[in-house]
Amino acid sequence: MAEASRWHQGGTPKHEQHFRKEGEIRTTLQELLLYCIFLINLCILTFGMVNPHMYYLNKVMSSLFLDTSVPGDERTNFKSIHSVTDFWKFMEGPLLEGLYWDSWYNNQKLYNLKNSSRIYYENILLGVPRVRQLKVRNNTCKVYSSFQSLMSECYAKYTSENEDMSDFGLKLNTEWKFSAPSISGPGHWGFAGVYQNGGYIFTLSKSKSETQSKFVNLRLNSWITRGTRVIFIDFSLYNANVNLFCIIRLVAEFPATGGILTSWQFYTVKLLRYVTYYDYFIASCEITFCIFLIVFTIQEAKNIKEFKSAYFKSIWNWLELLLLVLCFVAVFFNLYSNIQNFLLLGQLLKNTEKYSDFYFLAYWNIYYNNIIAITIFFAWIKNMFLAIINNTYSEVKADYSLGRRPDFELGKMIKKSYKDVLERLKLKKPQTDENSKKKSGDLAERARREGFDENEIQSAEQMKKWKERLEKKYYSTETQDDYQPVTQQEFRDLFLYTVELEKELHYISLKLNRVMRKVSALP
């Protein structure tokens, strides 16, 4: 009761604390609502770029070029290639049959193909496929002296320093002559090394018979040598039914240990971004995302300016900065890939007699998808933090608005919020009730040991309960108004509380009178 009296005498008035707390909650709800809208917009951007057709197109293409067995050997396909002989069998078998579809299942000619192949009758082969080889020079490794009489040649693993750039074999066409790598094209990270562009390159013909003759000629003239370290097979498809491009790369590495390691990449991407009404809706979401990014950037810039070095002491603020950086990187990748699509797509589709390098465009689209996936991952982490600590987030914002550092750490805050959630879900009993019951029980036992009567103990406990309940009702800092209506039951409790107080006061007065009489009787 004395504590309540001190509260009325000084400190912040009740109505001001009420309005301040109400303002904090309103601010927190507004920020949470704004962030939820941003998160929904980001989810639409992320999942709006993919559809089930991407998976199915990858599946049918991988089944055609990876799982189809070579003629006469059902156990050998691209995945199980282990020797140069197996590799040529694949080139002249499953690859050749998979690339050229010029008739129906009943051997009737297809409709007007305009000199292009239709894989599975629905997927247009863009341009012509390309085969590229990278080699290393002889004597790029050192043979131990005891074995030099047995081994006159030594080919090390592939590096840019060990790469062979000299013409070899027939030295007639591009497949026998080295082509310098392009600066803009991305490299390839394989099992046995990192490979750059360029090398010994040739393209396939539009005619199936000519391509088959090309493969036979290369095999008979030993195009693959001991210095060969990797062979790339690149081609691209377009399916107009679902407006998707499928960029395929089959890789066969020839490591210095011998044998062949195969790998593959199937990139199904949507390079023609804005075609349908849904695509334009996604475009509006991209604009909204940029607006959110500008707003959040200005907000964080103001916070850094206000709090200076103290801003960087919070893990929460570092998460905010990480999200902003990822968002800017995603915007950059998106803009760059769209610009490259606009500049290069038309040029790649013009000449159908050359290899159309869509791998470069797919490469940047895949990077954009990866960045946006990472962004949404951290955005959901932040959202989970907001969901867990929503009951304390307003206090943090209020402390920052007053220029104070929160008096608790993030770990303690999460632990406290976690306990609150368990109590609300009834998975854990409130800690305060257990402590109060234990403390009350200890005081009662102590009173019994000191000789107090049982009726006095029960009366004291009832008084304590009434006092706590009434103080919570009429002297709590959460009271919304100075005037509170009193019900009939509450009036009865107040009356009984007053009667008990009067009894206690009378009892104490009698004790004081006895003491005073004893004192006065002393000589």
Side-chain angles (χ1 to χ4, degrees):
M1 299 288 278
E3 198 172 334
S5 300
R6 288 196 299 271
W7 185 84
H8 278 292
Q9 292 173 3
T12 306
K14 288 188 292 183
H15 66 278
E16 291 185 11
Q17 289 196 356
H18 168 65
F19 288 136
R20 175 186 170 187
K21 188 174 186 62
E22 194 175 85
E24 294 169 3
I25 296 174
R26 189 182 300 110
T27 301
T28 303
L29 292 177
Q30 289 174 353
E31 292 183 355
L32 184 59
L33 178 62
L34 184 66
Y35 187 77
C36 286
I37 296 174
F38 166 75
L39 195 59
I40 293 172
N41 184 81
L42 184 59
C43 289
I44 294 174
L45 283 181
T46 304
F47 301 108
M49 297 181 300
V50 297
N51 60 65
H53 296 298
M54 292 182 172
Y55 166 76
Y56 294 126
L57 186 55
N58 272 354
K59 182 177 177 60
V60 295
M61 290 302 155
S62 62
S63 176
L64 177 62
F65 293 103
L66 301 181
D67 299 328
T68 303
S69 302
V70 301
D73 188 356
E74 295 182 356
R75 296 177 300 176
T76 303
N77 52 32
F78 183 78
K79 294 180 179 179
S80 61
I81 289 175
H82 296 298
S83 65
V84 176
T85 303
D86 292 340
F87 179 80
W88 283 119
K89 286 182 180 179
F90 167 78
M91 295 287 282
E92 298 174 27
L95 180 66
L96 193 67
E97 297 297 328
L99 289 175
Y100 296 94
W101 294 61
D102 53 6
S103 62
W104 288 99
Y105 56 88
N106 57 4
N107 293 326
Q108 291 183 357
K109 284 292 182 181
L110 291 173
Y111 46 83
N112 185 15
L113 298 178
K114 294 183 180 180
N115 200 25
S116 63
S117 176
R118 302 290 178 93
I119 299 176
Y120 278 123
Y121 311 115
E122 303 293 344
N123 304 280
I124 304 173
L125 182 62
L126 301 175
V128 292
R130 183 186 69 178
V131 181
R132 180 168 63 95
Q133 175 187 181
L134 293 176
K135 301 175 59 182
V136 295
R137 302 186 309 274
N138 185 18
N139 298 322
T140 49
C141 51
K142 187 176 180 180
V143 180
Y144 189 67
S145 58
S146 300
F147 292 92
Q148 288 180 357
S149 60
L150 301 175
M151 299 184 64
S152 59
E153 296 178 343
C154 181
Y155 297 89
K157 66 178 183 179
Y158 176 85
T159 62
S160 57
E161 293 79 12
N162 296 337
E163 187 170 11
D164 189 358
M165 301 181 184
S166 60
D167 299 343
F168 76 106
L170 301 180
K171 301 182 181 180
L172 296 176
N173 299 316
T174 57
E175 60 264 31
W176 306 100
K177 296 181 179 181
F178 183 80
S179 299
S182 60
I183 300 176
S184 59
H188 181 88
W189 198 317
F191 292 124
V194 180
Y195 307 100
Q196 60 181 1
N197 293 301
Y200 303 90
I201 303 171
F202 69 92
T203 58
L204 305 187
S205 172
K206 289 283 186 178
S207 171
K208 180 179 179 180
S209 59
E210 291 181 6
T211 300
Q212 187 174 16
S213 299
K214 185 83 167 181
F215 287 159
V216 172
N217 180 60
L218 293 174
R219 173 169 55 84
L220 295 176
N221 289 280
S222 301
W223 187 67
I224 299 176
T225 67
R226 285 188 58 194
T228 300
R229 285 295 171 260
V230 66
I231 295 178
F232 298 96
I233 305 170
D234 297 300
F235 53 97
S236 304
L237 312 171
Y238 175 68
N239 189 306
N241 300 334
V242 293
N243 188 28
L244 291 176
F245 290 80
C246 185
I247 292 84
I248 300 174
R249 168 169 285 184
L250 306 178
V251 184
E253 296 181 69
F254 298 75
T257 57
I260 298 178
L261 303 174
T262 57
S263 59
W264 49 88
Q265 292 176 341
F266 290 81
Y267 292 151
T268 300
V269 293
K270 188 175 183 179
L271 298 181
L272 300 175
R273 297 286 299 274
Y274 310 111
V275 178
T276 64
Y277 290 112
Y278 179 74
D279 296 335
Y280 287 110
F281 169 70
I282 296 296
S284 65
C285 291
E286 292 175 347
I287 296 173
T288 305
F289 177 81
C290 294
I291 294 174
F292 272 114
L293 182 57
I294 294 173
V295 172
F296 291 155
T297 302
I298 295 174
Q299 180 180 353
E300 293 307 312
K302 289 181 178 179
N303 290 337
I304 293 174
K305 183 179 179 181
E306 180 179 357
F307 302 111
K308 298 180 175 60
S309 60
Y311 174 89
F312 300 98
K313 296 180 180 179
S314 171
I315 299 178
W316 184 267
N317 294 335
W318 280 106
L319 180 60
E320 296 277 3
L321 293 178
L322 177 61
L323 276 174
L324 287 179
V325 171
L326 290 173
C327 288
F328 275 110
V329 172
V331 170
F332 169 77
F333 277 12
N334 188 31
L335 289 175
Y336 184 78
S337 61
N338 284 334
I339 292 173
Q340 293 299 321
N341 290 346
F342 177 77
L343 296 176
L344 301 178
L345 194 57
Q347 299 177 7
L348 293 173
L349 295 175
K350 281 182 181 179
N351 196 337
T352 60
E353 300 297 329
K354 292 184 178 180
Y355 167 69
S356 300
D357 190 4
F358 286 90
Y359 185 83
F360 175 76
L361 299 180
Y363 180 83
W364 285 102
N365 275 271
I366 294 299
Y367 261 86
Y368 169 68
N369 293 345
N370 293 340
I371 289 295
I372 204 72
I374 296 173
T375 303
I376 199 172
F377 171 74
F378 284 105
W380 273 105
I381 287 180
K382 178 182 175 182
N383 187 66
M384 287 188 289
F385 272 109
L386 288 174
I388 293 174
I389 61 173
N390 63 83
N391 58 332
T392 54
Y393 183 61
S394 59
E395 299 176 12
V396 179
K397 299 297 291 184
D399 288 336
Y400 273 130
S401 65
L402 296 174
R404 300 197 307 265
R405 184 179 184 272
D407 57 351
F408 51 82
E409 298 297 332
L410 184 62
K412 294 180 180 178
M413 178 177 63
I414 295 174
K415 185 177 179 180
K416 177 179 179 298
S417 302
Y418 174 73
K419 291 181 179 178
D420 293 342
V421 170
L422 291 180
E423 291 174 2
R424 291 174 186 175
L425 295 175
K426 298 181 179 180
L427 298 176
K428 183 178 180 180
K429 294 183 179 179
Q431 190 72 19
T432 54
D433 294 345
E434 294 178 359
N435 292 342
S436 60
K437 290 180 180 178
K438 184 178 180 181
K439 185 176 180 181
S440 177
D442 292 342
L443 291 174
E445 290 296 327
R446 181 178 177 184
R448 290 187 183 93
R449 288 196 301 269
E450 293 181 0
F452 282 90
D453 184 68
E454 193 67 28
N455 292 331
E456 292 179 337
I457 295 175
Q458 293 180 358
S459 177
E461 289 179 348
Q462 182 66 28
M463 287 281 291
K464 185 175 183 297
K465 291 180 181 178
W466 279 344
K467 178 177 178 293
E468 291 175 351
R469 185 169 65 252
L470 294 174
E471 283 185 349
K472 183 177 181 181
K473 173 69 177 176
Y474 298 102
Y475 296 96
S476 173
T477 56
E478 298 179 356
T479 303
Q480 298 183 359
D481 204 339
D482 290 335
Y483 171 76
Q484 292 288 320
V486 180
T487 63
Q488 185 176 1
Q489 180 63 34
E490 290 173 342
F491 179 78
R492 179 176 176 277
D493 291 341
L494 285 170
F495 178 76
L496 292 175
Y497 184 49
T498 305
V499 171
E500 291 295 331
L501 285 176
E502 184 180 2
K503 290 181 180 178
E504 290 291 328
L505 184 61
H506 179 70
Y507 179 71
I508 294 173
S509 177
L510 289 177
K511 282 189 173 183
L512 284 175
N513 289 334
R514 292 190 196 123
V515 170
M516 292 301 296
R517 284 197 297 269
K518 289 181 179 180
V519 170
S520 61
L522 293 174

